[in-house]
Amino acid sequence: MKRTVLFLPAIPGLLLSLTVAGSAIFLEQAELFLAGTAWIDSLVLAILTGTVLRTIWKPSVIFERGIHFSAHILLEAAVALMGAAVSVEMVLRAGPALLLGIVGTVGITIGIGIMLGHVCGLPSKMAVLIACGNAICGNSAIAAVAAAIDADSEDTATAVAFTAVLGILVVLLLPLAAHILHLTQPASGVLAGLTVYAVPQVLAAAGPMGTAAVQIGTLVKLVRVLMLGPVVAVSSLIYARRRPVCSAKPRFCLSRFLPPFILIFMGLMAARSLDLVSHALLAPMHTTSSLLTLVAMAALGLGVDLRNVLVAGPRVVTVVTLSLGALAGVACVIAEMCCQI
């Protein structure tokens, strides 16, 4: 009974977040109907719609708890469920050389992105969000890392918005870049898998390069997504030092270093690797994770005033662009090296 009473104040904000998320789905379907493709996916549309609404209308206090619940608790639940979508088998399929190349690309890109953020004067956590978003999988990585390091909503929304725009440009320019560089189909696939943000975008980017490019690009992208777990865990460990200890007694507390949703993510990944997760549950869990992420993105948008975001615009654009350029450069080198082995 107490839990029900405590949850009641969150309902208005939760319903508002759900409404914005529903609007994003409608807008994405409108894109598909009018243009035949969705250039901006529903996750980005959710955060943009919420941001525009928040800029022209500030929700009253009654919505605050529900918006916070949606942006944090639902997001953590979504990240936890992502663990069921990955397994060790996916990593092994790539082979040792390509696996090392993917790990190296992600690590180098994150390091360069954080360094660029500091040089350009961005807040520390925003620099981490942009670096991880570019290096792994765009808005999904940003959302997961934001939950692990307790990033500010405005920083998260800004990082998602700017990386989403450049992500579309990557999909459009990648086939041209592969042609100019005279890359083979396997190398083109590796380049696509290492640079684009989402798995569906791999199909769009690698499609013009051939079937082999699509197959290799998809595999590389899936393995790259697996890097999200270790990166989120390490980020959580680093920022855990700034959190208060679990109790006054100097004892070890696992939740201080790894939040519960990360432990659930790792547990589900291990269960999937051991084939303990029923295949009938995979699709519903993926759908649930996607919907929870969508509502969380809408809530994040509702916490952002666009006028404040635009103040940081030029610096963020510079860091995102340079970081993405660094990713592309490293990816080209890795693609050539792996395809010559």
Side-chain angles (χ1 to χ4, degrees):
M1 186 69 177
K2 283 185 177 180
R3 291 182 180 179
T4 303
V5 174
L6 290 173
F7 179 72
L8 288 177
I11 291 178
L14 177 60
L15 290 176
L16 179 61
S17 300
L18 286 168
T19 301
V20 173
S23 300
I25 295 175
F26 173 80
L27 291 172
E28 184 181 55
Q29 292 302 310
E31 282 186 276
L32 291 170
F33 178 76
L34 296 174
T37 185
W39 292 105
I40 306 177
D41 65 32
S42 56
L43 289 178
V44 179
L45 287 170
I47 204 165
L48 291 178
T49 303
T51 299
V52 171
L53 180 60
R54 170 63 180 82
T55 302
I56 62 178
W57 169 70
K58 182 178 181 180
S60 62
V61 178
I62 194 175
F63 295 101
E64 287 183 0
R65 183 172 295 186
I67 291 174
H68 182 272
F69 173 83
S70 301
H72 294 83
I73 305 302
L74 295 188
L75 181 56
E76 291 181 359
V79 173
L81 289 174
M82 288 181 188
V86 296
S87 69
V88 175
E89 182 185 0
M90 293 180 184
V91 178
L92 298 179
R93 281 189 214 156
L98 186 53
L99 177 59
L100 287 174
I102 296 170
V103 173
T105 300
V106 171
I108 293 171
T109 304
I110 290 177
I112 292 175
I114 293 174
M115 180 187 68
L116 289 170
H118 290 325
V119 170
C120 292
L122 291 184
S124 175
K125 290 185 178 181
M126 180 181 282
V128 171
L129 293 179
I130 292 174
C132 293
N134 274 333
I136 305 175
C137 51
N139 49 36
S140 297
I142 291 171
V145 173
I149 67 177
D150 194 25
D152 183 82
S153 295
E154 288 199 1
D155 289 350
T156 305
T158 303
V160 168
F162 283 107
T163 52
V165 172
L166 288 182
I168 295 171
L169 293 178
V170 170
V171 173
L172 296 175
L173 296 176
L174 202 59
L176 178 61
H179 177 73
I180 293 174
L181 296 172
H182 303 290
L183 297 180
T184 62
Q185 282 199 32
S188 299
V190 172
L191 179 61
L194 288 175
T195 52
V196 299
Y197 292 152
V199 175
Q201 290 180 336
V202 173
L203 305 180
M209 308 172 200
T211 304
V214 172
Q215 293 173 343
I216 295 175
T218 302
L219 174 60
V220 171
K221 177 58 192 168
L222 288 173
V223 176
R224 186 171 152 222
V225 170
L226 290 180
M227 290 295 295
L228 180 61
V231 168
V232 171
V234 170
S235 300
S236 181
L237 287 170
I238 292 173
Y239 279 87
R241 299 175 183 176
R242 305 181 185 183
R243 299 190 189 110
V245 296
C246 297
S247 69
K249 298 179 181 180
R251 62 177 183 174
F252 175 77
C253 181
L254 185 60
S255 62
R256 176 190 171 193
F257 300 99
L258 292 177
F261 74 96
I262 298 299
L263 295 176
I264 295 173
F265 176 99
M266 296 170 67
L268 286 175
M269 180 178 173
R272 173 72 187 279
S273 300
L274 296 172
D275 201 25
L276 298 178
V277 179
S278 172
H279 289 277
L281 295 176
L282 294 179
M285 292 176 78
H286 173 73
T287 301
T288 301
S289 177
S290 299
L291 290 175
L292 290 175
T293 303
L294 183 66
V295 178
M297 291 297 103
L300 284 173
L302 288 169
V304 178
D305 190 324
L306 190 59
R307 289 164 292 192
N308 296 331
V309 172
L310 292 177
V311 174
R315 290 181 298 166
V316 176
V317 171
T318 300
V319 173
V320 173
T321 304
L322 293 177
S323 179
L324 189 57
L327 170 63
V330 174
C332 284
V333 173
I334 297 297
E336 288 284 8
M337 290 177 58
C338 290
C339 293
Q340 287 176 3
I341 296 176

